[in-house]
Amino acid sequence: MRSTARVVVIGGGIAGCSALYHLTQEGWTDVMLLERNELTSGTTWHSAAQVTNFGMNQTMVGLKSHSIKLYKELSEDPEYPINYHHADGGIRLANTQAQMDGYRHFASMARGMDVEFEVIDAKECARRHPLLATDNLVGGLWDPMDGDIDPAQLCQALARRARKAGAEVHRNTPVTALKQQADDSWIVSTPKGDVHAEIIVNACGYRVNEVGAMMGVHHPVASMEHQYFLTEEIPAIKEAGHRMPLIRCPISDYYSRQEKNGLLVGFYEQDCKTWGMDGIDPNFVNALCPDDLERVTDVLEGAMERMPALAEVGIHTVVNGPITYTIDGAPLVGSIPGKRNAFCIIGLRAGLGEGGGHGWLLAQQIVHGESCYDTWCIDPRRFTGHCNVELTALKAIEDYQNEFRFHFPHEHRPAGRPMKTTPLTPILAAEGAEFGVVNGWERMDYINPSRDFTETHGFRFNETFDVIAEEVRAVQNSVGLTEVSGFNRFEMTGTDVHSFLDRMFCGRVTKKAGRVGLGYMLNHHGMVKSEATIANLPDGRVWYGSAAASEWHDMDWLEAHLEDDENVQIRSLTNEHTILVLAGPKARDVLSTVSRGDWSAQAFPWLSVREAFIGIAPAVVMAVSFSGELAYEIHVPNNQLYGAYLALRSAGEDYDLRLFGSRAVESMRLEKGYLHWKAEIQTEFDPFETGLRRFVKMDKDFVGKAALIERQASGVQKHLVTLSLETREAPAHGGASVTNAGQVVGTVTSGDWGHRTGLNLAMAYVSPEHALVGAALDVEVIGMNVPATVIATGPYDPENQRVKA
């Protein structure tokens, strides 16, 4: 075994083997995999190994498509073919129209990735799968590329190709310690000796936190026991003359695929069970948990009703083994938060099916700094310090129980809530607030108009439409108040703060005390990395503010670019302060009532910042707006937040002040053309494509400039535009395809009804030839081809008179 390696991958399941192989495909061959036992001896060997194209967003669809293409190639390798049942087809069933709406949306989203799904009715489901009963069945989503693969052969094939490219694979080589050096490299200790590695990758499956502990980190990954069984031979399968399609059923929480002339049937029972919470036996290798079919009786009965043949056949083998889950069910693939030269590829509950794609994207991140897709949906930094063991377990149970039930728009499931709150959370709840969750924070969605009001979640406009309209109307005509919990806030100090920020941002960074500016950071490929407001307080402190979810992401990026000789200190205030937003034409009147000083437009114009008191509560007040109305962000220490809130509510009584939530903000920001991080702002687009040309100053140096110059030579590939849709039935949802003459020419990033303009609005990236104002296009909205027109971005108050009033 070599004593040095550029990358050491720890773990020999599908995650580790895929990462190792794809590193060699990116040109790095000085790489090594260490496995404590034999390859695939953890979860991989007992995987049901289904390979689907279905994903909840385009990144997931893209990485799964890569897996399918790679697995097909491996299966046809004449030197080392593997067993892959490619393109048997698969059906995801539905028994409600709301689920069918979701499938229509996902089909549109996949179409933008050159993946064709088909939405079929109940009769067609039964025709394609003759074992299905159609009782209580509406239809399903057909994936023609669905199939299954031999897990051990797949991993051996990947390891074999990696070895041929120069990689080393060492079995029976457990990692016993990890120590980071002053230059951020790592000493990886094993019984066979130490390896000095530039970079390490945690790919340890259900032992992820054993290795995490060696690095001083905890990963929000928990394991669940999962059971499936293999049936005896079923005559109808033998007689069918073709392989049975795969079935995934959210009605009865089971899946099935053909195994020889029988079925493999797996269950996601409600009475589920976590595994390994109190530690894992070191000798648990190639092992299973005790069978417990009694626990799955309820879902088994449902499976038999859907597939009556199951009631007439014996069980050949029962498998009960651990599989890993994260807090939101999606894997953690990328940089480990707070660590340099450390990556992970963990929490792959559907590892075999999509592991090829995960390893592909991780290898690109390690070698190039970014992948070809924006990978925020699988980024380990999308969760922060609140993700403890107990919360992870609760969310893992919830995700397991809802394995085949996708999240509807604005649906926030109850497990592990409330996790992060402010002093106002119970106060707002008493006012009737309904809450969503942003990075663990409870954030007000809207105010419930009555005790018996309920929302029906789905892809269409619902009962909240008029509720949101009233909140918007209050902000437009009078004054509204909302809380923005969890907003990311860094305090930056030091003599080099502004020169540091000037290097990080692609535009001018305001240095004037008492002023606020908006700016964008690019990655080393010239793509948009982050958006932030920079507020210069009078005493020299700088406040950096960005999206709530970006807390660890932005801190890692800023700290990674600090030079050793730069005098800059960065301290997070995210958990110490909360924002109250006062918005509307009467906002200045309310603010003047509760705070001393001159708040006139002349004394405190748009994009100003000052320290003040709100009643008796100290605050930092910024004249900024995400609604397009006159507005103030009031940043208050959490221990005095309630006092500031009471002062504003009391003063607002004379001005008809109303509470409003984040749904109203979303409607209003689309009317203004304001961008949302990880909706419109993605690493797949540069600032020119994103419509941020005015924020780029090419006469200065900044991170990503060289790459941006290079990109300019090839021209803009996409343009971000605003669309007006001709329907009142449903909004466009992120990922929906934009078409022209039936051909996909773009993708929606976000959409909602604009209550002030009376327009059904969407933002989308489209081909340049379709980006001119007035262009006629179509948007696929839950199966409907809706006519849409490109309009000028920011149709509400385009001259910005209201924010400056």
Side-chain angles (χ1 to χ4, degrees):
M1 187 170 73
R2 293 199 306 263
S3 60
T4 62
R6 194 167 192 180
V7 183
V8 168
V9 179
I10 308 168
I14 180 59
C17 291
S18 178
L20 187 77
Y21 165 74
H22 283 98
L23 283 167
T24 65
Q25 293 299 293
E26 295 297 329
W28 284 20
T29 56
D30 182 12
V31 292
M32 179 185 299
L33 184 148
L34 304 179
E35 163 56 43
R36 70 190 300 273
N37 194 262
E38 297 288 343
L39 297 184
T40 78
S41 61
T43 293
T44 300
W45 74 273
H46 61 73
S47 169
Q50 298 166 108
V51 183
T52 176
N53 241 338
F54 180 81
M56 295 288 287
N57 54 61
Q58 288 192 323
T59 295
M60 293 302 294
V61 172
L63 68 87
K64 291 184 178 189
S65 293
H66 174 83
S67 296
I68 290 172
K69 182 179 178 181
L70 171 64
Y71 298 172
K72 184 73 161 55
E73 179 192 340
L74 292 172
S75 72
E76 296 171 347
D77 185 342
E79 294 183 11
Y80 192 85
I82 63 175
N83 294 322
Y84 176 28
H85 297 119
H86 172 70
D88 287 346
I91 310 172
R92 292 175 184 269
L93 303 178
N95 65 339
T96 69
Q97 287 298 334
Q99 288 172 312
M100 293 294 285
D101 281 348
Y103 289 157
R104 293 183 184 101
H105 169 67
F106 294 130
S108 175
M109 179 192 69
R111 193 176 169 211
M113 300 298 289
D114 295 322
V115 170
E116 293 294 334
F117 292 149
E118 186 181 354
V119 179
I120 58 178
D121 62 18
K123 183 178 179 180
E124 184 62 16
C125 289
R127 190 189 72 78
R128 298 187 187 190
H129 198 302
L131 299 185
L132 282 180
T134 58
D135 298 344
N136 189 34
L137 186 66
V138 175
L141 182 71
W142 172 260
D143 173 5
M145 292 294 105
D146 219 337
D148 67 89
I149 197 165
D150 185 296
Q153 289 181 356
L154 171 59
C155 291
Q156 293 290 352
L158 292 169
R160 174 179 173 273
R161 286 196 172 189
R163 285 193 195 97
K164 288 182 70 174
E168 290 188 8
V169 176
H170 295 279
R171 299 168 297 132
N172 300 304
T173 310
V175 172
T176 56
L178 295 168
K179 186 176 181 181
Q180 193 157 28
Q181 306 300 291
D183 64 354
D184 295 324
S185 64
W186 294 84
I187 300 296
V188 183
S189 297
T190 80
K192 297 179 181 179
D194 290 349
V195 181
H196 187 194
E198 180 184 331
I199 295 168
I200 58 173
V201 176
N202 186 343
C204 290
Y206 54 66
R207 295 190 184 274
V208 53
N209 277 310
E210 294 179 11
V211 171
M214 298 178 193
M215 304 168 62
V217 300
H218 168 75
H219 298 286
V221 176
S223 296
M224 303 293 299
E225 287 190 17
H226 176 61
Q227 294 186 94
Y228 64 79
F229 63 61
L230 306 176
T231 74
E232 302 285 358
E233 188 173 283
I234 297 175
I237 292 179
K238 192 173 182 180
E239 297 163 4
H242 62 83
R243 286 185 60 81
M244 290 292 111
L246 289 81
I247 294 293
R248 296 172 183 84
C249 181
I251 309 164
S252 301
D253 298 303
Y254 82 98
Y255 62 88
S256 76
R257 67 167 175 83
Q258 184 170 333
E259 179 69 18
K260 296 183 179 177
N261 285 324
L263 289 176
L264 182 155
V265 186
F267 306 97
Y268 290 96
E269 70 280 6
Q270 299 304 293
D271 183 25
C272 54
K273 186 177 180 182
T274 58
W275 180 86
M277 289 282 288
D278 298 315
I280 302 169
D281 186 337
N283 299 313
F284 190 88
V285 175
N286 279 317
L288 294 170
C289 309
D291 300 348
D292 189 6
L293 284 182
E294 187 173 329
R295 200 169 72 228
V296 303
T297 300
D298 56 339
V299 289
L300 177 57
E301 290 175 354
M304 288 179 174
E305 291 175 2
R306 183 62 59 205
M307 301 173 69
L310 289 175
E312 302 170 5
V313 67
I315 296 174
H316 180 275
T317 304
V318 179
V319 173
N320 184 19
I323 57 176
T324 57
Y325 278 77
T326 64
I327 284 183
D328 64 357
L332 304 176
V333 180
S335 297
I336 295 175
K339 294 292 179 181
R340 303 279 182 86
N341 293 355
F343 294 80
C344 60
I345 176 169
I346 54 179
L348 277 62
R349 79 179 194 278
L352 262 294
E354 57 197 38
H358 288 307
W360 175 55
L361 296 184
L362 179 66
Q364 291 177 50
Q365 291 179 63
I366 293 172
V367 175
H368 306 295
E370 297 279 3
S371 73
C372 57
Y373 302 140
D374 189 300
T375 56
W376 182 245
C377 63
I378 55 175
D379 195 307
R381 295 164 297 190
R382 70 187 188 273
F383 306 123
T384 52
H386 64 287
C387 298
N388 57 42
V389 174
E390 301 302 322
L391 176 64
T392 303
L394 287 173
K395 297 305 288 186
I397 291 169
E398 184 179 61
D399 281 331
Y400 184 96
Q401 292 170 332
N402 291 279
E403 177 69 27
F404 299 130
R405 283 184 283 277
F406 52 79
H407 280 77
F408 287 109
H410 305 300
E411 179 189 9
H412 298 275
R413 292 174 178 167
R417 295 179 62 189
M419 186 63 202
K420 291 199 282 190
T421 62
T422 76
L424 291 187
T425 305
I427 308 302
L428 296 172
E431 296 264 17
E434 295 290 339
F435 293 92
V437 180
V438 180
N439 190 26
W441 290 94
E442 296 289 324
R443 183 176 290 183
M444 183 164 59
D445 250 6
Y446 62 91
I447 298 296
N448 198 317
S450 65
R451 289 188 176 183
D452 58 354
F453 179 88
T454 56
E455 178 179 6
T456 305
H457 290 294
F459 285 80
R460 301 170 187 261
F461 292 122
N462 62 16
E463 302 89 343
T464 64
F465 187 90
D466 292 336
V467 176
I468 306 306
E470 283 298 314
E471 292 183 7
V472 171
R473 194 172 294 116
V475 174
Q476 181 185 21
N477 297 326
S478 181
V479 61
L481 179 67
T482 193
E483 177 194 56
V484 182
S485 56
F487 182 80
N488 184 46
R489 183 184 300 98
F490 299 151
E491 184 175 270
M492 306 177 73
T493 55
T495 55
D496 297 322
V497 164
H498 284 106
S499 60
F500 170 64
L501 291 173
D502 190 60
R503 189 176 80 250
M504 296 301 297
F505 284 78
C506 63
R508 303 277 182 239
V509 177
T510 179
K511 300 177 182 179
K512 187 177 179 181
R515 296 298 288 168
V516 179
L518 179 66
Y520 295 87
M521 294 188 290
L522 310 184
N523 63 23
H524 295 285
H525 301 277
M527 308 304 220
V528 184
K529 184 78 171 178
S530 289
E531 175 191 69
T533 55
I534 301 298
N536 297 309
L537 300 181
D539 61 1
R541 290 174 295 149
V542 174
W543 275 20
Y544 170 111
S546 58
S550 70
E551 181 184 357
W552 281 5
H553 173 280
D554 284 12
M555 182 65 85
D556 272 2
W557 186 250
L558 292 169
E559 289 186 336
H561 287 84
L562 270 175
E563 302 290 348
D564 291 339
D565 60 351
E566 281 186 305
N567 180 12
V568 178
Q569 297 80 45
I570 307 174
R571 182 170 73 96
S572 177
L573 301 178
T574 301
N575 297 316
E576 299 175 18
H577 289 68
T578 295
I579 299 174
L580 296 174
V581 173
L582 192 65
K586 298 180 182 178
R588 181 179 290 111
D589 298 321
V590 176
L591 185 59
S592 298
T593 302
V594 298
S595 184
R596 287 184 292 110
D598 185 353
W599 295 100
S600 66
Q602 294 72 34
F604 195 70
W606 185 44
L607 299 181
S608 295
V609 58
R610 73 164 63 150
E611 292 183 281
F613 285 89
I614 305 300
I616 60 173
V620 170
V621 183
M622 301 183 195
V624 294
S625 175
F626 204 51
S627 63
E629 306 291 346
L630 175 68
Y632 304 98
E633 280 187 3
I634 304 169
H635 299 244
V636 186
N638 282 339
N639 63 355
Q640 301 189 60
L641 184 64
Y642 183 41
Y645 173 79
L646 288 178
L648 291 166
R649 286 304 302 271
S650 177
E653 289 179 2
D654 292 336
Y655 300 97
D656 194 26
L657 181 146
R658 288 193 52 177
L659 297 177
F660 68 100
S662 58
R663 302 257 197 112
V665 174
E666 177 69 3
S667 169
M668 291 187 285
R669 71 98 182 169
L670 282 168
E671 292 180 304
K672 291 297 295 178
Y674 295 155
L675 312 185
H676 201 295
W677 190 65
K678 294 310 177 187
E680 289 74 41
I681 300 171
Q682 302 179 34
T683 57
E684 293 181 34
F685 303 102
D686 68 35
F688 303 132
E689 295 171 318
T690 311
L692 300 173
R693 186 174 295 273
R694 68 188 184 280
F695 292 97
V696 181
K697 303 302 178 185
M698 299 300 286
D699 59 350
K700 54 164 276 191
D701 289 328
F702 54 84
V703 173
K705 179 179 178 179
L708 186 59
I709 292 173
E710 206 171 301
R711 283 185 60 82
Q712 280 185 291
S714 58
V716 170
Q717 304 301 307
K718 293 286 185 181
H719 268 300
L720 182 64
V721 300
T722 298
L723 298 166
S724 175
L725 281 62
E726 295 179 22
T727 180
R728 298 181 66 92
E729 192 168 342
H733 296 280
S737 288
V738 181
T739 65
N740 177 258
Q743 299 299 309
V744 176
V745 297
T747 300
V748 169
T749 55
S750 53
D752 205 347
W753 188 267
H755 290 282
R756 295 173 298 190
T757 57
L759 299 176
N760 190 349
L761 297 169
M763 300 188 85
Y765 282 99
V766 302
S767 302
E769 62 269 26
H770 300 291
L772 295 177
V773 171
L777 300 168
D778 292 307
V779 177
E780 295 179 349
V781 179
I782 54 173
M784 303 180 292
N785 282 319
V786 175
T789 303
V790 176
I791 64 173
T793 295
Y796 181 73
D797 186 27
E799 301 301 321
N800 274 334
Q801 295 302 307
R802 297 180 70 89
V803 297
K804 301 174 183 177

